[in-house]
């Protein structure tokens, strides 16, 4: 089925360990995003990639890095995990319109999430 | 049943009733708005969207209303079913200037009683 695939689904890390969350989409979308979801705080944008070859910081980028490997794949790396990074992480993609066109139905397609615990 | 205000996080309705979930957005420059549904243990799922040049849009059993004057968005669900129980998020974005980034509200939990 077409969509956004995230791996792993669950992960437990010790403080200071590193890991990479993988995300791939097969919808030929140009834009990809990483969000974290914490109880009572909704979804907060970590990093995004408007198009292949570009990445930009979102609202809460500290402690993370990203790589837009190609049009399909957008990975999120924690270099030195901290307990404050315990969260559920969602990758999303969308076909972001360009050129001032007025369009509908280009909301995000989300992956199923990665539940990360840092102890 | 209806949720009101910025931070009423839960709404409980009887099966078959209509539900109204409200959302106040923050940026007057936002020109695109989306409602998502998130079931337990899953990622958010797109429900319906609306552009700022519209004030109403209908889908299957759902209607989104936009009032730009007071920066208010609502999602109406007709004949609410148990399968509608979920957390509902509104999101706003400025697609042509912010790479389509969405800013999400905190969400409203809808519980449907049989």
């Amino acid at each position: 089925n077409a969509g956004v695939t995230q791996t792993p689904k669950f992960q437990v890390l010790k403080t200071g360990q590193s890991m990479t969350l993988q995300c791939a989409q097969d919808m030929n979308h140009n834009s990809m995003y990483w969000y974290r979801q914490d109880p009572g705080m909704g979804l907060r944008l970590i990093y995004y990639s408007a198009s292949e070859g570009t990445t930009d910081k979102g609202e809460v980028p500290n402690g993370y890095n990203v790589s837009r490997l190609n049009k399909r794949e957008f990975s999120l790396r924690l270099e030195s995990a901290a307990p404050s990074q315990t969260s559920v992480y969602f990758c999303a993609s969308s076909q972001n319109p360009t050129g001032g066109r007025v369009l509908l139905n280009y909301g995000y397609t989300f992956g199923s999430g990665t539940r990360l615990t840092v102890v | 049943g209806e949720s009101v205000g910025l931070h009423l996080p839960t709404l409980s309705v009887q099966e078959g009733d209509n539900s109204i979930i409200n959302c106040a957005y923050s940026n007057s420059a936002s020109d695109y708005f989306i409602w998502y549904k998130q079931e337990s243990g899953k990622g958010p799922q797109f429900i319906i969207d609306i552009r700022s040049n519209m004030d109403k849009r209908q889908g299957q059993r759902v209607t989104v209303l936009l009032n730009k004057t007071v920066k208010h968005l609502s999602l109406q669900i007709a004949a609410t079913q148990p399968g509608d129980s979920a957390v509902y998020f509104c999101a706003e974005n400025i697609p042509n200037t912010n790479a389509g980034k969405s800013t999400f509200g905190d969400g409203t939990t809808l519980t449907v009683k049989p």
Side-chain angles (χ1 to χ4, degrees):
Chain A
N1 291 335
V4 178
T5 303
Q6 287 183 241
T7 56
K9 293 189 183 301
F10 301 94
Q11 184 72 49
V12 178
L13 290 178
K14 294 182 179 179
T15 298
Q17 286 185 318
S18 62
M19 79 162 294
T20 300
L21 281 65
Q22 306 288 353
C23 176
Q25 53 94 6
D26 58 5
M27 296 167 288
N28 205 35
H29 285 168
N30 55 7
S31 300
M32 298 184 74
Y33 313 85
W34 277 104
Y35 282 83
R36 60 178 288 174
Q37 185 174 36
D38 302 295
M41 300 190 75
L43 288 143
R44 292 183 293 167
L45 182 64
I46 305 171
Y47 270 93
Y48 67 99
S49 171
S51 60
E52 185 179 357
T54 69
T55 60
D56 286 285
K57 295 178 181 180
E59 181 185 356
V60 288
N62 291 344
Y64 305 96
N65 283 299
V66 291
S67 296
R68 183 76 182 265
L69 304 170
N70 48 54
K71 191 171 186 180
R72 291 185 64 249
E73 298 172 287
F74 188 40
S75 62
L76 178 72
R77 183 160 178 83
L78 287 70
E79 290 291 351
S80 179
S84 61
Q85 294 177 304
T86 294
S87 187
V88 181
Y89 291 85
F90 288 101
C91 177
S93 71
S94 71
Q95 186 57 33
N96 184 40
T98 57
R101 291 173 293 169
V102 177
L103 295 175
L104 289 167
N105 296 320
Y106 64 91
Y108 292 175
T109 299
F110 281 90
S112 56
T114 296
R115 186 173 295 276
L116 175 67
T117 302
V118 183
V119 298
Chain B
E2 181 173 354
S3 71
V4 295
L6 278 172
H7 298 295
L8 188 69
T10 63
L11 174 65
S12 183
V13 301
Q14 204 68 37
E15 181 179 358
D17 286 352
N18 297 331
S19 302
I20 300 174
I21 301 171
N22 296 299
C23 176
Y25 64 93
S26 58
N27 192 332
S28 58
S30 295
D31 65 353
Y32 178 60
F33 306 89
I34 317 102
W35 280 101
Y36 293 91
K37 172 186 180 183
Q38 186 176 25
E39 296 175 285
S40 181
K42 298 183 179 180
Q45 180 182 14
F46 173 93
I47 301 174
I48 191 168
D49 56 358
I50 190 168
R51 293 208 62 93
S52 58
N53 59 353
M54 308 165 71
D55 54 19
K56 180 179 180 179
R57 189 165 187 234
Q58 288 184 292
Q60 188 175 11
R61 282 202 306 119
V62 294
T63 300
V64 55
L65 300 177
L66 175 63
N67 185 330
K68 294 181 290 295
T69 302
V70 295
K71 294 192 289 186
H72 183 269
L73 196 65
S74 69
L75 177 71
Q76 300 178 0
I77 305 173
T80 313
Q81 302 169 359
D84 295 326
S85 293
V87 179
Y88 290 81
F89 293 96
C90 65
E92 57 180 306
N93 64 330
I94 311 171
N96 293 323
T97 58
N98 259 351
K101 293 187 301 179
S102 286
T103 300
F104 287 79
D106 291 336
T108 295
T109 301
L110 174 66
T111 302
V112 181
K113 298 176 288 186

